[in-house]
Coordinates of all heavy atoms in Angstrom, one line a residue:
Q1 N 3.7 -3.9 -1.5 CA 5.0 -4.5 -1.3 C 6.0 -3.6 -0.6 O 6.8 -3.9 0.3 CB 5.6 -5.0 -2.6 CG 5.0 -6.3 -3.1 CD 5.6 -6.7 -4.5 OE1 6.4 -6.0 -5.0 NE2 5.2 -7.8 -4.9
N2 N 6.1 -2.3 -1.1 CA 7.1 -1.4 -0.6 C 6.8 -1.0 0.9 O 7.7 -0.9 1.7 CB 7.1 -0.1 -1.4 CG 7.7 -0.4 -2.8 OD1 8.5 -1.3 -3.0 ND2 7.3 0.4 -3.8
I3 N 5.5 -0.9 1.2 CA 5.1 -0.6 2.6 C 5.5 -1.7 3.5 O 6.0 -1.5 4.6 CB 3.6 -0.3 2.7 CG1 3.3 1.0 1.9 CG2 3.2 -0.1 4.1 CD1 1.8 1.3 1.7
F4 N 5.3 -2.9 3.0 CA 5.6 -4.1 3.8 C 7.1 -4.2 4.0 O 7.6 -4.6 5.1 CB 5.0 -5.4 3.1 CG 5.4 -6.7 3.8 CD1 5.0 -7.0 5.0 CD2 6.3 -7.6 3.1 CE1 5.3 -8.2 5.6 CE2 6.7 -8.7 3.7 CZ 6.2 -9.1 5.0
L5 N 7.9 -3.9 3.0 CA 9.3 -4.0 3.1 C 9.9 -2.9 4.0 O 10.8 -3.2 4.8 CB 10.0 -3.9 1.7 CG 9.9 -5.0 0.8 CD1 10.4 -4.8 -0.6 CD2 10.6 -6.3 1.4
E6 N 9.3 -1.8 4.0 CA 9.7 -0.7 5.0 C 9.4 -1.2 6.5 O 10.2 -0.9 7.3 CB 8.9 0.6 4.7 CG 9.4 1.3 3.5 CD 8.6 2.6 3.2 OE1 8.0 3.1 4.2 OE2 8.5 3.0 2.1
L7 N 8.3 -1.8 6.6 CA 7.9 -2.4 8.0 C 8.9 -3.4 8.4 O 9.4 -3.4 9.5 CB 6.5 -2.9 8.0 CG 6.0 -3.6 9.3 CD1 6.0 -2.6 10.4 CD2 4.7 -4.2 9.1
T8 N 9.2 -4.4 7.5 CA 10.1 -5.5 7.8 C 11.5 -5.0 8.1 O 12.3 -5.6 8.9 CB 10.2 -6.5 6.7 OG1 10.6 -5.9 5.5 CG2 8.8 -7.2 6.5
E9 N 12.0 -3.9 7.5 CA 13.3 -3.3 7.7 C 13.4 -2.8 9.2 O 14.5 -2.8 9.7 CB 13.6 -2.2 6.8 CG 14.1 -2.7 5.4 CD 14.5 -1.6 4.5 OE1 13.7 -0.6 4.3 OE2 15.6 -1.6 4.0
K10 N 12.3 -2.4 9.7 CA 12.3 -1.9 11.1 C 12.2 -3.0 12.2 O 12.4 -2.7 13.3 CB 11.2 -0.9 11.3 CG 11.4 0.3 10.4 CD 10.3 1.3 10.5 CE 10.6 2.5 9.6 NZ 9.4 3.3 9.3
C11 N 12.0 -4.2 11.7 CA 11.9 -5.3 12.7 C 13.2 -6.1 12.8 O 13.9 -6.2 11.8 CB 10.8 -6.3 12.1 SG 9.1 -5.6 12.1
R12 N 13.4 -6.6 14.0 CA 14.6 -7.5 14.2 C 14.3 -8.9 13.6 O 15.2 -9.6 13.3 CB 14.9 -7.6 15.6 CG 15.5 -6.3 16.1 CD 16.0 -6.4 17.5 NE 17.1 -7.4 17.5 CZ 18.1 -7.3 18.3 NH1 18.3 -6.2 19.0 NH2 19.1 -8.2 18.2
A13 N 13.0 -9.3 13.6 CA 12.7 -10.7 13.2 C 11.4 -10.6 12.5 O 10.5 -9.9 13.0 CB 12.7 -11.7 14.3
V14 N 11.2 -11.4 11.4 CA 10.0 -11.5 10.7 C 9.7 -13.0 10.6 O 10.5 -13.7 10.0 CB 10.0 -10.8 9.3 CG1 8.7 -11.0 8.6 CG2 10.3 -9.4 9.4
V15 N 8.5 -13.4 11.1 CA 8.1 -14.8 11.0 C 6.9 -15.0 10.2 O 5.9 -14.3 10.4 CB 7.9 -15.4 12.4 CG1 7.4 -16.8 12.4 CG2 9.1 -15.3 13.3
C16 N 7.0 -15.8 9.1 CA 5.9 -16.0 8.2 C 5.4 -17.5 8.5 O 6.2 -18.4 8.4 CB 6.3 -15.9 6.8 SG 6.9 -14.3 6.3
C17 N 4.2 -17.6 9.0 CA 3.6 -18.9 9.3 C 2.5 -19.2 8.4 O 1.8 -18.4 7.9 CB 3.2 -19.0 10.8 SG 2.0 -17.7 11.3
Q18 N 2.3 -20.5 8.1 CA 1.2 -21.0 7.3 C 1.2 -20.4 5.9 O 0.2 -20.1 5.3 CB -0.2 -20.8 8.0 CG -0.3 -21.5 9.3 CD -1.6 -21.2 10.0 OE1 -2.3 -20.2 9.6 NE2 -1.9 -22.0 11.0
A19 N 2.4 -20.2 5.4 CA 2.5 -19.7 4.0 C 2.7 -20.8 3.0 O 3.2 -21.9 3.3 CB 3.8 -18.8 4.0
T20 N 2.2 -20.6 1.8 CA 2.4 -21.6 0.7 C 3.8 -21.5 0.2 O 4.5 -20.5 0.4 CB 1.4 -21.3 -0.4 OG1 1.7 -20.0 -1.0 CG2 -0.1 -21.2 0.1
P21 N 4.2 -22.6 -0.5 CA 5.5 -22.6 -1.1 C 5.7 -21.5 -2.0 O 6.8 -20.9 -2.1 CB 5.6 -23.9 -1.8 CG 4.6 -24.8 -1.1 CD 3.5 -23.9 -0.6
L22 N 4.7 -21.1 -2.8 CA 4.8 -20.0 -3.7 C 5.1 -18.7 -3.0 O 5.9 -17.8 -3.4 CB 3.6 -19.9 -4.6 CG 3.7 -18.8 -5.7 CD1 4.8 -19.0 -6.6 CD2 2.4 -18.7 -6.4
Q23 N 4.3 -18.5 -1.9 CA 4.5 -17.2 -1.1 C 5.9 -17.1 -0.5 O 6.5 -16.1 -0.4 CB 3.4 -17.2 0.0 CG 2.0 -16.9 -0.4 CD 1.0 -17.0 0.7 OE1 1.2 -17.8 1.6 NE2 -0.1 -16.3 0.5
K24 N 6.4 -18.3 -0.1 CA 7.8 -18.2 0.5 C 8.8 -17.8 -0.5 O 9.7 -17.0 -0.3 CB 8.1 -19.7 1.1 CG 7.3 -20.1 2.3 CD 7.7 -21.5 2.6 CE 6.8 -22.0 3.8 NZ 7.1 -23.4 4.1
S25 N 8.7 -18.4 -1.7 CA 9.7 -18.0 -2.7 C 9.5 -16.6 -3.2 O 10.5 -15.9 -3.5 CB 9.6 -19.0 -3.9 OG 8.4 -18.9 -4.6
V26 N 8.3 -16.1 -3.3 CA 8.0 -14.7 -3.7 C 8.6 -13.8 -2.7 O 9.2 -12.8 -3.0 CB 6.5 -14.5 -4.0 CG1 6.2 -13.1 -4.1 CG2 6.1 -15.2 -5.2
L27 N 8.4 -14.1 -1.4 CA 8.9 -13.3 -0.4 C 10.4 -13.2 -0.3 O 11.0 -12.1 -0.2 CB 8.4 -13.8 1.0 CG 8.6 -12.9 2.2 CD1 7.9 -11.5 2.0 CD2 8.1 -13.5 3.5
V28 N 11.1 -14.3 -0.5 CA 12.6 -14.3 -0.6 C 13.0 -13.5 -1.8 O 14.0 -12.7 -1.7 CB 13.1 -15.7 -0.6 CG1 14.6 -15.8 -0.9 CG2 12.8 -16.4 0.7
R29 N 12.4 -13.8 -2.9 CA 12.8 -13.0 -4.1 C 12.6 -11.5 -4.0 O 13.4 -10.7 -4.4 CB 12.0 -13.5 -5.3 CG 12.5 -12.9 -6.6 CD 11.7 -13.4 -7.9 NE 12.2 -14.8 -8.1 CZ 11.4 -15.9 -8.1 NH1 10.1 -15.8 -7.8 NH2 11.9 -17.1 -8.4
L30 N 11.5 -11.1 -3.3 CA 11.2 -9.7 -3.1 C 12.2 -9.1 -2.2 O 12.7 -8.0 -2.5 CB 9.8 -9.6 -2.4 CG 9.3 -8.2 -2.1 CD1 9.0 -7.5 -3.3 CD2 8.1 -8.3 -1.2

């Protein structure tokens, strides 16, 4: 999780495709 968040902070846009509803809510909460 922390490595992924460090990567996303360096991006201007992050697009999550074909994600389940649970994955979407966990990602937003994270």
Side-chain angles (χ1 to χ4, degrees):
Q1 284 181 355
N2 291 332
I3 297 169
F4 176 67
L5 287 174
E6 286 178 27
L7 175 65
T8 58
E9 280 185 306
K10 294 177 180 161
C11 298
R12 289 187 63 138
V14 178
V15 177
C16 300
C17 55
Q18 299 174 345
T20 65
L22 181 62
Q23 287 174 333
K24 293 175 184 180
S25 65
V26 168
L27 189 61
V28 171
R29 185 177 288 119
L30 180 71

